[in-house]
Amino acid sequence: MEPTRNRSIGGRASEELSPLDKRIIEQLQQDGRRPFTQIAAELGVSEATVRARTNRLVERRILQIVGVTDPLRIGFHQMAMIGVHCDGDRLVRAAEQIAELPEVSYAVITAGQYDILVETVCGDNEALLSFLVEKLRHIEGVRDTEAFVYLRIVKQAYQWGTR
Amino acid sequence: MEPTRNRSIGGRASEELSPLDKRIIEQLQQDGRRPFTQIAAELGVSEATVRARTNRLVERRILQIVGVTDPLRIGFHQMAMIGVHCDGDRLVRAAEQIAELPEVSYAVITAGQYDILVETVCGDNEALLSFLVEKLRHIEGVRDTEAFVYLRIVKQAYQWGTR
Amino acid sequence: MEPTRNRSIGGRASEELSPLDKRIIEQLQQDGRRPFTQIAAELGVSEATVRARTNRLVERRILQIVGVTDPLRIGFHQMAMIGVHCDGDRLVRAAEQIAELPEVSYAVITAGQYDILVETVCGDNEALLSFLVEKLRHIEGVRDTEAFVYLRIVKQAYQWGTR
Amino acid sequence: MEPTRNRSIGGRASEELSPLDKRIIEQLQQDGRRPFTQIAAELGVSEATVRARTNRLVERRILQIVGVTDPLRIGFHQMAMIGVHCDGDRLVRAAEQIAELPEVSYAVITAGQYDILVETVCGDNEALLSFLVEKLRHIEGVRDTEAFVYLRIVKQAYQWGTR
Amino acid sequence: MEPTRNRSIGGRASEELSPLDKRIIEQLQQDGRRPFTQIAAELGVSEATVRARTNRLVERRILQIVGVTDPLRIGFHQMAMIGVHCDGDRLVRAAEQIAELPEVSYAVITAGQYDILVETVCGDNEALLSFLVEKLRHIEGVRDTEAFVYLRIVKQAYQWGTR
Amino acid sequence: MEPTRNRSIGGRASEELSPLDKRIIEQLQQDGRRPFTQIAAELGVSEATVRARTNRLVERRILQIVGVTDPLRIGFHQMAMIGVHCDGDRLVRAAEQIAELPEVSYAVITAGQYDILVETVCGDNEALLSFLVEKLRHIEGVRDTEAFVYLRIVKQAYQWGTR
Amino acid sequence: MEPTRNRSIGGRASEELSPLDKRIIEQLQQDGRRPFTQIAAELGVSEATVRARTNRLVERRILQIVGVTDPLRIGFHQMAMIGVHCDGDRLVRAAEQIAELPEVSYAVITAGQYDILVETVCGDNEALLSFLVEKLRHIEGVRDTEAFVYLRIVKQAYQWGTR
Amino acid sequence: MEPTRNRSIGGRASEELSPLDKRIIEQLQQDGRRPFTQIAAELGVSEATVRARTNRLVERRILQIVGVTDPLRIGFHQMAMIGVHCDGDRLVRAAEQIAELPEVSYAVITAGQYDILVETVCGDNEALLSFLVEKLRHIEGVRDTEAFVYLRIVKQAYQWGTR
């Protein structure tokens, strides 16, 4: 699955989720491997419906069902959140190029002091340095970076429910 | 599943993963619903082994298998990464209390300009304000907060592999 | 008219505006003195309805109809936007006390680097100093202030329309 | 009404207000719809004088009489104050171009850490992102922006009187 | 002569200078030793008048006539401008106590990022450290200090004229 | 007298002051108008020697004897210390050009967060804006400026003695 | 050898080095193992003199002769320079307590944005976290810390010569 | 000995140290002049082995044996740690050029707010200014510098042991 979303600005048409979509998402937020039969029973619909809806949500990239780990505990010793400042109008394009780098697990455009927040997962110091110098700072429009090196991940949760 | 990890400092004993654990994790990073039979076939072990190992990884809180969505696209209009400064030696304890707040999806202790980075998922301005004033800033040791409000999530990926 | 709103957190119930309310607001954003007869004609309702709705909007403090000037051009030589940092959980209470100070023309709770942004209108340096030292910094919970002194107001507009 | 003022630097000649102008402004700061007959009676001049003076103040762009609302309460969910840094000598020209953008309700040149403070009124995250990337950062001379997203407007007042 | 001014806030009454006072100040800004006879001739008044006015300006602490040197060139190797942050309402009192320290040559209350700017003249590193630790930071209300060590003084001028 | 010193870097040869020079400076730091006969008597040398030495110190621009006032008290209502960031290697040249601007009373190259600290004496907001935009930011190499507007000058002293 | 120096402020009496001391230091800066016989021959003194002087310099803690390595290359994967802010007048005492921590290789009191710069040598993330939380932030007077994690040491040199 | 290491990124192959190498390093960390015979006896190997291994470690630039002093105590009165910001992808190349400057004693690439931390040892203010303006800021890619001037070195230690 290709995790990057390259939406044009404003192009959020047709993202409305049906109430059933939302109930399915909530079930899978609790447990990504919950059998479709069980979800179907709880929601009072057929298993085929649950399966079809789920597949459609994944195809539309609204939902990923994944095994999530703490990288610091499986051998990636140098994770960091990196605050990025971009030149003037390169912001969205730079964010999309950053999202294509394999070391990047998370990228968000923010309204605050940093233009983009980038989470990166590296094995050690030299890998983080290579990432910064040979990749991130080569992207056109990236002007400044400040890394917040992780010492410990205290929480990762995906059970927000829906609205 | 309770996603918060309250490890005492230094308590990382016995976290070594076997090569088979790592292969299973990599399979589930690709697709959290991949059938155990398929994983077993690919790795040349029995389905019972894959199932047992997976359950053990989940129990040890090394692995979560979850449905991940982009909150901004399912009705949470005010997400933010919040940089937190803590008083002196309250850092780890405060981080653990922050992790218990339901609005918090992610919490990391960092070595940089902020002591803790906290991702929060709120429905609107007033909910974010309530979270900041009535919850986050009530935690003992939290001195300062600066929120980076999300405008767009560009990437969320979980396929780092293992080391 | 008392311009400060002391709403309890979350208390935004019943603020829904009718489509007619919105049309009236838009007319008055264009010109605060537009005759009710003219507004009534444009919107196809009676003058009494326009008058009643307008009065109700003003009573509910959703609308003010005011003469707005540029203070720097009518003798107030030291205006400033002041970024305020507050202690922990005193944020909302401090903001409300700040709003009661007569030198304050504008006060906003923000999610960024400053907790509260306060616009102040003073006659000269000494008045600004008195305001800072004898009033603003006496409010419980105000820890730090940083003033951005105005050199020129380039735009003040109130024609956003409604949503 | 075109709210932007494009004064050349230093060109503030003839802005002296007569004492009567000031008394009229003070009346309209209290209530923008106060009848001219009432103002005339209070100030001991004819209604025609009050009307003529008021019109002249509006034409000179010293006074606006407008309906002012809290955008956060009428459907604009993402307001922000944006601190802007400009390149060297582009400051005044950039401020004037910023003032022409319809999303901008307020723009001030300041002497502090930011060159220009810009208040913007947007409907949601994506609108704020579009504003930042496609408009504000396209203006020549705009180098950096930092947004302070509004959580709640606590005070908007226009009753400063005159000097 | 005691150079510190301990004015109470707002107490600037009676500081109006006569046009003759201003002409005398301008003469002495050009050359502090210009003979009173020469000034008297230029301004068309008696020497006694010039002398009396000058003495009065000095007594009122509006004027100092002094030999000014560049400390870096006469053996003070560690000068610094020090930005000071103060607690809440201690600002004016702290500034006055700072002004009494003999190492302080200049102290200003500002509206920006620092509450007080303090210029200090020290002989070497250890003297600056002693000043910071044993004096400046002992003053009640002084919370934080940041020193900008001088590398070279490029200009010191006193010829502003008057207004 | 031209107060700016345009020394080439490192060119501090021949600045050694004799013990007598230092004693004369100390006398004039106390009172810039002290008669040479009185100084001569105190130091046990002839008046001609004191006069010759003083003139030589002034010619070498080591000493200025001037009337010093508080600009805020004689009609300059907008003073500021301005922190300047310069491009790479333009620092010394930019500082020298800044020193030539008549609004600048003080300019120092520092080792801290700002490259140059500039004190400016202006009559009002518009004069400060003109200075910033039309003068300071036009100098080649000036990249950023941050003004600390003065609210009150608490101390100006020139009695450091010598070393 | 105990590397911490606990000098009382100002206590630098008797640190004058003879010209011969300086020549010996320069020889050992080049190569810490240079035989005393070779140094003696180069400087034209006896070996016994060189040995005695060297021992005296080491005893006075003016000189250390040590094997210096790059910790990042011998297994310490998480080095950092840590900027520390201290409360008011605790600066020197806190610096001395920091110097006693075994993880600290370098500690300097500075005049800039940070009060103390501390270099620390840790094995991994958790060790750095323990150091920060359980040691550094427990020292009385330490208020804030910001770590600059090392990615690569590019130079370590000790050949400054003497003055 | 040339202290700069110009390793290509990632080129850390063959840096593994044998247990004997580590034991020798630990001995020399304690005392850089400890006789090889004594080290050989403690480690149970021949003196020739210790000498050969040590020479090899020095040749590979893993180890320096040097006389280390506190520059502030031997006549260098203006030391500073300088935080450097670099343009995009010039980081590693700029760091290597900085490392070649003789005034630089230490240079580290970091992951935090500054790209490179540079320690410099200068005799006085003018030397530090010359270094900044004529050398450091002339290096291509160096955009900004902020110096933290040293007031006192509290600890320099080299006894970390090995891992």
Side-chain angles (χ1 to χ4, degrees), chain A residues 91-154:
Chain A
L91 179 51
V92 171
R93 190 69 200 99
E96 288 168 353
Q97 289 183 280
I98 289 169
E100 283 161 20
L101 299 175
E103 292 90 344
V104 171
S105 53
Y106 199 60
V108 186
I109 300 176
T110 78
Q113 194 184 334
Y114 304 101
D115 295 322
I116 311 173
L117 289 176
V118 177
E119 189 187 64
T120 185
V121 179
C122 291
D124 59 16
N125 294 312
E126 286 287 326
L128 178 52
L129 179 58
S130 290
F131 170 73
L132 286 171
V133 174
E134 297 179 355
K135 295 192 171 175
L136 187 56
R137 286 172 165 241
H138 267 276
I139 289 174
E140 196 188 333
V142 169
R143 192 173 50 209
D144 257 318
T145 61
E146 175 176 358
F148 306 96
V149 170
Y150 285 13
L151 296 179
R152 187 188 291 173
I153 298 176
V154 185

Side-chain angles (χ1 to χ4, degrees), chain E residues 5 28 32-33 64-65 67-68 70 73 99 104-107 109 111 119 146 149 151-152 154-157, chain F residues 5 28 32-34 64-65 67-68 70 73 99 104-107 109 111 113 119 149 151-152 154-157:
Chain E
R5 275 168 272 137
L28 293 168
R33 287 190 79 85
Q64 301 180 62
I65 305 168
V68 176
D70 174 348
R73 295 171 84 192
V104 171
S105 53
Y106 199 62
I109 301 176
E119 189 188 64
E146 175 177 358
V149 170
L151 297 180
R152 187 188 291 174
V154 186
K155 183 177 187 178
Q156 282 183 295
Chain F
R5 271 167 276 133
L28 294 168
R33 287 189 79 85
R34 185 162 295 171
Q64 300 180 65
I65 305 168
V68 177
D70 174 349
R73 296 172 85 191
V104 170
S105 54
Y106 199 60
I109 301 176
Q113 196 183 334
E119 189 188 63
V149 170
L151 297 179
R152 186 188 292 173
V154 186
K155 183 178 190 179
Q156 283 182 295

Side-chain angles (χ1 to χ4, degrees), chain G residues 95-149:
Chain G
E96 288 169 351
Q97 289 182 281
I98 289 169
E100 282 161 21
L101 300 173
E103 293 90 343
V104 171
S105 53
Y106 198 62
V108 186
I109 300 176
T110 79
Q113 197 185 331
Y114 303 101
D115 294 324
I116 311 174
L117 289 176
V118 177
E119 190 187 64
T120 185
V121 179
C122 291
D124 58 16
N125 294 312
E126 286 288 326
L128 178 54
L129 180 57
S130 292
F131 170 73
L132 286 171
V133 174
E134 298 179 356
K135 296 193 171 176
L136 187 56
R137 287 169 164 247
H138 267 277
I139 289 174
E140 195 188 335
V142 169
R143 190 172 53 209
D144 255 319
T145 62
E146 175 177 358
F148 306 96
V149 169

Side-chain angles (χ1 to χ4, degrees), chain F residues 5 8 11 14 29 32 34 38 43 64 76 82 102 112 114 122-123 157:
Chain F
R5 271 167 276 133
S8 61
S14 78
Q29 285 177 336
R34 185 162 295 171
Q38 180 181 340
L43 302 182
Q64 300 180 65
F76 295 91
I82 303 172
Y114 304 102
C122 291

Side-chain angles (χ1 to χ4, degrees), chain C residues 5 64 68 106 119 151 155, chain D residues 64 68 70 99 106 109 119:
Chain C
R5 273 167 274 135
Q64 300 180 64
V68 176
Y106 199 62
E119 190 188 62
L151 297 180
K155 183 178 187 178
Chain D
Q64 301 180 63
V68 176
D70 173 350
Y106 198 61
I109 301 176
E119 189 187 64

Side-chain angles (χ1 to χ4, degrees), chain F:
Chain F
M1 193 175 73
E2 214 288 88
T4 312
R5 271 167 276 133
N6 291 327
R7 291 172 293 143
S8 61
I9 288 181
R12 297 190 306 172
S14 78
E15 283 188 24
E16 286 71 34
L17 299 177
S18 69
L20 179 59
D21 288 336
K22 291 181 180 175
R23 295 298 84 72
I24 294 170
I25 287 171
E26 287 162 5
Q27 292 278 331
L28 294 168
Q29 285 177 336
Q30 297 302 322
D31 177 359
R33 287 189 79 85
R34 185 162 295 171
F36 288 153
T37 50
Q38 180 181 340
I39 296 172
E42 287 210 28
L43 302 182
V45 294
S46 72
E47 186 202 344
T49 298
V50 172
R51 183 177 308 273
R53 292 284 181 130
T54 302
N55 289 345
R56 184 78 189 103
L57 287 166
V58 171
E59 276 160 23
R60 289 164 69 192
R61 291 181 181 164
I62 287 169
L63 178 69
Q64 300 180 65
I65 305 168
V66 286
V68 177
T69 50
D70 174 349
L72 291 177
R73 296 172 85 191
I74 59 169
F76 295 91
H77 296 304
Q78 210 57 307
M79 287 184 74
M81 188 68 76
I82 303 172
V84 176
H85 291 109
C86 286
D87 284 333
D89 53 335
R90 291 283 310 168
L91 179 51
V92 171
R93 189 72 200 99
E96 288 169 352
Q97 289 183 279
I98 289 169
E100 283 161 21
L101 300 174
E103 292 91 344
V104 170
S105 54
Y106 199 60
V108 186
I109 301 176
T110 77
Q113 196 183 334
Y114 304 102
D115 295 323
I116 310 175
L117 289 176
V118 177
E119 189 188 63
T120 186
V121 178
C122 291
D124 59 16
N125 295 311
E126 286 288 325
L128 178 53
L129 180 57
S130 291
F131 170 73
L132 285 172
V133 173
E134 297 178 356
K135 295 191 171 178
L136 187 56
R137 286 170 165 244
H138 268 276
I139 288 174
E140 196 189 334
V142 170
R143 191 172 52 209
D144 256 318
T145 62
E146 175 176 359
F148 306 95
V149 170
Y150 285 13
L151 297 179
R152 186 188 292 173
I153 298 177
V154 186
K155 183 178 190 179
Q156 283 182 295
Y158 300 91
Q159 291 73 29
W160 321 293
T162 60
R163 287 238 152 186

